[in-house]
Amino acid sequence: PEHVKKAFIAIEDERFYKHHGIDFIGILRALYYDIKAGRIVQGGSTITQQLAKLLFLKPERSISRKIKEAALSLQIEKKYTKEEILGLYLNQAFFGTNAYGIEAAAHTYFGKSTEELSIAEAALLAALPRAPSYYSPFKHPEKALKRRNLVLKKMLQLGYISDIEYEEALREPLPERPHRRRYKAPYFIELLRENLEDRYNQGLYTDGLRIYSTLDMHYQAVAEEAVKKGIEQLEKRVKPGVQAALIAIELETGKVVAMVGGTDFWQTQFNRATQALRQPGSAFKPIVYLTAIQNDIIPEDTIEDREVGYPMPDKKDEVWTPRNYEKIYNGEVTLLQALSHSLNAATVCLADTIGIKRIIKTAKYIGLNTPVHPYLSSAIGASETTLYDLALAYITIATGYRTKPLLINEVVNREEISLEQHYPETIKVLDPAVVDTIRFMLRDVILNGTGRKAKQLNRTVYGKTGTTNDYTDAWFMGFDDQLVVGVWVGRDDHTP
């Protein structure tokens, strides 16, 4: 809108449409006021010079930089129209509160788009680039008000607004708190931002970078809708406050194509897909059976499914007795039956036979980065992990290859130069025959075991359910020939 442009021109560069990049009259006027005040009270830089500084120069104070700034400003004026220069400046300027560019600033300070800004709101935004923190309405409202009103006064003096508009604008209050701008796939975007900020610092926001992520918006929309519907159905049966997380990763590439870190990012930014350490319960069991297969035990071999007490390493006189969910014990069962029906007693018996240290070793080299504690209870998922980590371990189970996760395909700067490119990185860690065997077992979980509900998908999927005591956590880890998908449901306070 015209009043937005004029607010910036009034306070930053009132001769903007008259000069060719450098305003000699403005420089002399600024010099006069600076000498009169005995300190720097006015800047002599035009909007074009400020754009040159934002786009091309480091924030240093030196004569050589000023010369470069002036030369660049003349070049910019030759190449672009005044409207293009003003647009570029408004889209690059920093407004404080992590807002870069006029549109982000409008959303951050007023929760609206640039098109909807009032004269007073435009004046406040025009007041900020000179010193965003100093003039912040959230930190220093008195200084912000004084500076905004100065912008309004300049607009009046230059004939940009009428006396009535000026008086009305003066009466408008300042914003009291920032508005969080809503965007799609917020949990993924926040993870991406943290990842990139480590490398680019503030340049992430100011250097005009284009980031090509691995996210697939179709998968993301489906994932968000699935979580939304699932929680709505669940909360008809239980008290509200249940959270959920979902992650989907390409098997072949490790590209994260969908991520949901909770039911509402705008209420809580805690990412339950990557940050929440939870007990995976039976979703960990495939790692136990994978270890057995690697040690020449086959699915048809038998183990004991009985109530057995195992000595506790740190409590010599006590025993720990793993119990099956239904408190029914089946005696001698095959490994295939034990995994399909998620028999805790049989799984711990197997872990005791092959040794927990071997299971820990397997977990590490298939890519589970969170520690597995050296106790038999870890065999049935007592050691906490994240959904993200477990999904990566399931990629290895599904393919035999440990795969590095990818969030970014490429980062390109404003000159179209590629700053970084990422390609799949995989290491073969499992024999194909071992992979075929564990896939066969996980397929049986779907066909005949605890994952029977997944048969509704009418496609070949493999997977494992997982629950912890009192249904504190519920998991499903599954894959087909393209994606691994992990889902977790529970409460943040670990209550059922």
Side-chain angles (χ1 to χ4, degrees):
E2 203 62 27
H3 64 269
V4 175
K5 295 178 193 173
K6 285 179 174 174
F8 284 85
I9 290 167
I11 195 68
E12 292 290 346
D13 186 1
E14 62 184 71
R15 288 174 42 79
F16 177 66
Y17 289 108
K18 296 176 182 175
H19 62 68
H20 299 288
I22 303 167
D23 182 9
F24 295 104
I25 293 172
I27 291 168
L28 290 171
R29 184 179 61 247
L31 189 62
Y32 168 76
Y33 282 112
D34 290 348
I35 292 168
K36 192 176 176 183
R39 58 189 175 89
I40 295 173
V41 292
Q42 283 200 9
S45 291
T46 63
I47 283 174
T48 315
Q49 284 175 281
Q50 290 179 58
L51 178 61
K53 188 164 53 179
L54 286 168
L55 292 178
F56 305 112
L57 300 170
K58 293 178 182 177
E60 57 183 358
R61 285 178 174 269
S62 66
I63 298 295
S64 64
R65 201 211 65 176
K66 277 289 180 188
I67 294 168
K68 287 177 190 172
E69 186 184 290
L72 285 167
S73 298
L74 296 172
Q75 290 298 315
I76 289 170
E77 289 274 346
K78 283 180 185 175
K79 192 170 182 180
Y80 299 102
T81 66
K82 287 290 187 181
E83 293 306 309
E84 286 172 333
I85 291 167
L86 186 56
L88 283 166
Y89 169 73
L90 292 177
N91 287 328
Q92 292 292 328
F94 178 51
F95 292 86
T97 320
N98 263 351
Y100 289 83
I102 185 73
E103 187 65 16
H107 280 279
T108 299
Y109 286 91
F110 302 108
K112 59 177 71 171
S113 74
T114 311
E115 294 295 321
E116 301 169 291
L117 291 174
S118 69
I119 290 169
E121 289 165 346
L124 177 65
L125 295 187
L128 291 169
R130 172 67 61 86
S133 182
Y134 185 79
Y135 293 120
S136 167
F138 313 127
K139 294 177 185 175
H140 307 115
E142 306 87 4
K143 290 170 184 170
L145 185 65
K146 189 177 178 182
R147 174 87 174 157
R148 184 204 70 175
N149 292 349
L150 173 63
V151 177
L152 291 170
K153 190 176 181 183
K154 292 277 287 181
M155 291 177 78
L156 177 66
Q157 289 170 346
L158 292 166
Y160 294 159
I161 57 174
S162 67
D163 289 334
I164 294 170
E165 287 173 322
Y166 173 68
E167 293 298 334
E168 283 177 358
L170 286 178
R171 287 194 291 271
E172 271 194 42
L174 295 176
E176 294 178 358
R177 64 185 67 85
H179 294 257
R180 189 177 285 275
R181 189 181 182 186
R182 299 200 170 204
Y183 42 86
K184 293 179 180 178
Y187 287 102
F188 179 88
I189 297 298
E190 183 61 19
L191 181 65
L192 201 63
R193 186 189 65 76
E194 289 171 6
N195 188 296
L196 288 164
E197 208 172 63
D198 287 342
R199 300 201 285 283
Y200 296 100
N201 301 310
Q202 290 303 303
L204 177 62
Y205 309 102
T206 58
D207 291 353
L209 305 179
R210 272 187 289 151
I211 293 108
Y212 297 93
S213 82
T214 59
L215 195 76
D216 182 305
M217 286 311 298
H218 169 68
Y219 286 138
Q220 181 66 26
V222 171
E224 289 178 2
E225 185 63 19
V227 167
K228 181 172 173 282
K229 282 187 175 177
I231 292 299
E232 283 174 359
Q233 291 298 316
L234 187 60
E235 289 191 336
K236 289 176 183 176
R237 307 193 303 271
V238 300
K239 66 179 182 180
V242 178
Q243 280 291 343
L246 184 151
I247 192 156
I249 308 174
E250 282 185 354
L251 289 179
E252 196 176 325
T253 64
K255 291 181 179 182
V256 178
V257 293
M259 177 183 287
V260 182
T263 55
D264 190 347
F265 177 84
W266 312 107
Q267 284 187 347
T268 163
Q269 290 78 54
F270 182 64
N271 190 335
R272 293 155 191 85
T274 60
Q275 295 174 297
L277 284 164
R278 308 291 295 220
Q279 291 184 342
S282 298
F284 181 86
K285 287 177 183 173
I287 298 172
V288 178
Y289 290 84
L290 176 64
T291 309
I293 295 162
Q294 289 183 290
N295 284 276
D296 302 320
I297 300 172
I298 61 173
E300 293 71 30
D301 283 340
T302 58
I303 45 178
E304 290 296 322
D305 183 44
R306 302 183 190 280
E307 267 193 289
V308 176
Y310 296 90
M312 296 179 72
D314 47 357
K315 295 176 183 176
K316 300 291 182 186
D317 302 327
E318 294 183 33
V319 294
W320 169 68
T321 306
R323 291 185 169 84
N324 289 342
Y325 171 69
E326 293 177 335
K327 307 292 191 296
I328 296 169
Y329 302 88
N330 305 280
E332 198 174 82
V333 295
T334 65
L335 267 70
L336 187 63
Q337 290 170 324
L339 182 59
S340 288
H341 299 286
S342 207
L343 303 175
N344 289 339
T347 302
V348 175
C349 171
L350 178 62
D352 190 44
T353 302
I354 58 180
I356 193 67
K357 286 184 179 177
R358 282 177 172 172
I359 294 164
I360 292 168
K361 186 179 176 184
T362 300
K364 279 183 181 174
Y365 77 69
I366 68 168
L368 194 71
N369 295 314
T370 42
V372 178
H373 304 302
Y375 308 120
L376 285 173
S377 58
S378 290
I380 54 174
S383 293
E384 295 178 331
T385 188
T386 66
L387 184 63
Y388 192 35
D389 261 6
L390 196 57
L392 293 171
Y394 266 74
I395 289 180
T396 312
I397 291 169
T399 65
Y401 289 83
R402 191 170 68 233
T403 304
K404 183 180 176 181
L406 291 179
L407 301 172
I408 300 162
N409 288 321
E410 188 176 17
V411 178
V412 177
N413 69 11
R414 61 165 58 90
E415 285 82 34
E416 300 292 326
I417 297 168
S418 181
L419 302 181
E420 54 182 271
Q421 293 178 328
H422 298 274
Y423 301 98
E425 291 181 34
T426 61
I427 303 169
K428 185 179 178 182
V429 295
L430 297 177
D431 185 274
V434 171
V435 173
D436 288 344
T437 305
I438 194 66
R439 283 172 72 107
F440 163 72
M441 295 179 77
L442 291 171
R443 180 67 183 145
D444 197 66
V445 173
I446 306 299
L447 295 175
N448 304 305
T450 56
R452 282 190 295 271
K453 277 193 176 179
K455 281 202 286 188
Q456 297 170 6
L457 296 171
N458 291 322
R459 62 198 294 181
T460 304
V461 294
Y462 313 78
K464 185 70 189 77
T465 54
T467 52
T468 56
N469 292 343
D470 301 320
Y471 283 102
T472 302
D473 302 89
W475 301 67
F476 181 75
M477 306 299 298
F479 58 89
D480 59 9
D481 288 328
Q482 290 182 303
L483 299 175
V484 63
V485 177
V487 180
W488 167 86
V489 178
R491 297 182 190 273
D492 289 340
D493 62 2
H494 293 259
T495 57

